[in-house]
Amino acid sequence: GKVIGQVNGLSVSPMAEEAVFGKPTRITASTAVGRAGVINIEREANLSGRTHNKGVLILSGYLRGKYCQNRPFSLAASIAFEQSYSGVEGDSASSTEIYAILSSLAQIPLRQDIAVTGSVNQKGEIQAIGGVNEKIEGFYDVCKKKGLNNSQGVIIPERNVQNLMLKPEVIDACRDGRFFIYPIKTIDEGMEILTGYKAGELQDDGTFEEDTINHKVDQELQRLAENWKNYAKSSPKKDEA
């Protein structure tokens, strides 16, 4: 089905020396008015490594740069790897975390039959990651166990296409239209695949095309900024000494 603010990320876990396997991990996001920015729950629980922390800061820069040029960034968003207690490292989930946040802001559900991997820079460009073959094969194995329905697949960085060396079973499934691999270059491309909505281009007047993902996100961030402004005006001020 589809769920708002929830997406399947892809990670790799070591089994033995030089042996890893890929698996999907549910990532969720919750958004509200505030000034806390993006809260990395893994970091707050001391389960986040330095590279993952950097990835969260980069995705915060992307959100501010794209949507908050003419207003304050009045957002409190929390992101979490659900039921993950062994620590998170690397920045390959940064694009996945953005999708969850954008879905929560726009109130547009994300497909749960697609898993995502990909690092992102502050311009919204998808960057290469490691373990791409293990991640694809890991999600394929999970889908096969639950039952392939001719719609499941993974989103990967376009820059990782040259690294693909998948087992024949996965190649055959892709060739037969039973499993799909979507190589992308930008966050907008990923959101279109996950939602079925048009991303929306920035227009000359500084707004996004109406009835698009970016327009809905922009409108929600504007609402949050206005609510924060109104709250700050109405809240009682402390007596000055």
Side-chain angles (χ1 to χ4, degrees), residues 129-155:
I129 46 82
V132 65
N133 293 297
E134 291 84 359
K135 290 175 180 178
I136 293 172
E137 292 174 354
F139 189 64
Y140 172 82
D141 289 341
V142 170
C143 293
K144 179 183 176 183
K145 203 170 188 67
K146 291 181 68 68
L148 292 172
N149 59 18
N150 302 330
S151 70
Q152 295 134 326
V154 297
I155 293 176

Side-chain angles (χ1 to χ4, degrees), residues 166-184:
L166 300 165
K167 58 187 180 183
E169 182 182 353
V170 178
I171 295 173
D172 291 341
C174 292
R175 183 184 293 117
D176 298 340
R178 292 180 288 115
F179 193 77
F180 299 87
I181 298 175
Y182 303 94
I184 64 168

Side-chain angles (χ1 to χ4, degrees), residues 54-211:
K54 180 179 179 181
V56 174
L57 294 174
I58 289 172
L59 74 85
S60 299
Y62 166 74
L63 293 172
R64 286 193 299 269
K66 184 163 186 172
Y67 300 106
C68 295
Q69 291 293 314
N70 301 313
R71 57 169 172 259
F73 190 52
S74 303
L75 172 68
S78 59
I79 52 176
F81 284 63
E82 301 295 348
Q83 291 191 303
S84 173
Y85 308 107
S86 58
V88 177
E89 183 56 292
D91 64 349
S92 64
S94 54
S95 65
T96 316
E97 292 163 336
I98 289 179
Y99 298 140
I101 291 173
L102 295 179
S103 169
S104 179
L105 287 169
Q107 288 294 288
I108 297 177
L110 301 174
R111 289 176 59 177
Q112 301 299 296
D113 56 356
I114 293 179
V116 182
T117 185
S119 170
V120 70
N121 65 22
Q122 291 191 101
K123 296 182 179 180
E125 298 166 341
I126 304 299
Q127 303 173 134
I129 46 82
V132 65
N133 293 297
E134 291 84 359
K135 290 175 180 178
I136 293 172
E137 292 174 354
F139 189 64
Y140 172 82
D141 289 341
V142 170
C143 293
K144 179 183 176 183
K145 203 170 188 67
K146 291 181 68 68
L148 292 172
N149 59 18
N150 302 330
S151 70
Q152 295 134 326
V154 297
I155 293 176
I156 67 169
E158 190 272 340
R159 296 179 184 180
N160 277 117
V161 170
Q162 62 183 344
N163 307 120
L164 293 181
M165 209 157 77
L166 300 165
K167 58 187 180 183
E169 182 182 353
V170 178
I171 295 173
D172 291 341
C174 292
R175 183 184 293 117
D176 298 340
R178 292 180 288 115
F179 193 77
F180 299 87
I181 298 175
Y182 303 94
I184 64 168
K185 296 181 180 179
T186 66
I187 288 292
D188 282 350
E189 289 179 49
M191 281 298 289
E192 288 183 344
I193 294 169
L194 287 167
T195 65
Y197 280 73
K198 184 179 179 182
E201 297 290 333
L202 184 64
Q203 302 178 110
D204 293 337
D205 62 358
T207 64
F208 292 95
E209 300 172 75
E210 290 193 12
D211 297 321

Side-chain angles (χ1 to χ4, degrees), residues 227-238:
N227 285 353
W228 177 261
K229 181 180 179 181
N230 293 335
Y231 175 78
K233 284 183 177 179
S234 61
S235 60
K237 297 181 180 180
K238 294 181 179 180

